Amino acid sequence: MDRLGSWCPLSGFPRPSVLICLLILTASFLTYPMLRTLSLRLHSAITGSYFSGAHSIVFVNCPNEQVARDIARAILNKKLAASVNILPKSSSLYFWKGEIEEATEILLLIKTKTSKVLMLSSYIRLVHPFEIPEVFSLPMDQGDVHYFKWLEEGMEED
């Protein structure tokens, strides 16, 4: 008689060795993204290389250039970003309270660490004049290692 099968009291239930294999495979599958991220960060720290997604570009629309400059300077002073581009006069069409609105806005492209995006978004909501400011981010997938190192240095606390 199969000794492993005798351990399981339920008839028709898979043998314990099969259950253990399924458990290991499931755990591996569920922890893979976390383990991959940790291994990439470790590799990056040891080799000084860059790993995808560590930095993000945050997009923010502002009503005018003065507001855009004030927000840009404030987030740079708080070390929430290393660089901000101010792109003048983009035309925006959007729904607001059931109506189509049209406005001229200034676009900020904010370069930051992905780990700071939530803190940056919260801060922008506090200082932005819009009731619901447009704040979203995209991870940087590729780029120059020296540039990413420069971004890191720009956000280091004094």
Side-chain angles (χ1 to χ4, degrees):
M1 179 124 251
D2 184 11
R3 296 181 78 188
L4 290 176
S6 66
W7 289 354
C8 189
L10 301 174
S11 62
F13 202 73
R15 294 187 325 209
S17 60
V18 174
L19 287 176
I20 292 170
C21 288
L22 287 173
L23 182 61
I24 290 170
L25 285 173
T26 303
S28 299
F29 178 75
L30 294 176
T31 59
Y32 174 76
M34 180 182 65
L35 293 174
R36 182 178 183 276
T37 300
L38 290 174
S39 66
L40 287 172
R41 287 185 185 197
L42 180 61
H43 178 266
S44 178
I46 292 170
T47 64
S49 63
Y50 167 74
F51 71 94
S52 179
H55 299 89
S56 291
I57 299 175
V58 179
F59 295 76
V60 177
N61 274 355
C62 297
N64 59 55
E65 193 169 341
Q66 187 60 50
V67 169
R69 288 187 184 284
D70 290 346
I71 290 174
R73 286 191 181 281
I75 63 176
L76 289 171
N77 284 333
K78 292 188 170 296
K79 303 283 186 178
L80 293 173
S83 173
V84 180
N85 295 107
I86 300 173
L87 304 180
K89 298 194 179 187
S90 61
S91 294
S92 297
L93 286 102
Y94 54 92
F95 278 105
W96 182 249
K97 298 185 180 182
E99 300 291 325
I100 296 176
E101 299 287 330
E102 190 170 342
T104 300
E105 297 174 324
I106 308 298
L107 179 61
L108 298 179
L109 298 180
I110 303 165
K111 278 74 76 178
T112 188
K113 293 180 188 178
T114 301
S115 62
K116 291 191 175 207
V117 169
L118 287 177
M119 194 172 11
L120 175 64
S121 297
S122 296
Y123 180 74
I124 289 170
R125 276 194 304 277
L126 287 174
V127 299
H128 203 286
F130 288 169
E131 185 178 335
I132 303 173
E134 177 183 59
V135 181
F136 67 91
S137 70
L138 297 173
M140 293 184 198
D141 186 34
Q142 300 290 321
D144 182 66
V145 174
H146 302 289
Y147 178 75
F148 293 124
K149 189 172 281 248
W150 174 80
L151 282 179
E152 290 286 332
E153 291 168 359
M155 289 178 274
E156 288 177 356
E157 301 296 326
D158 297 328

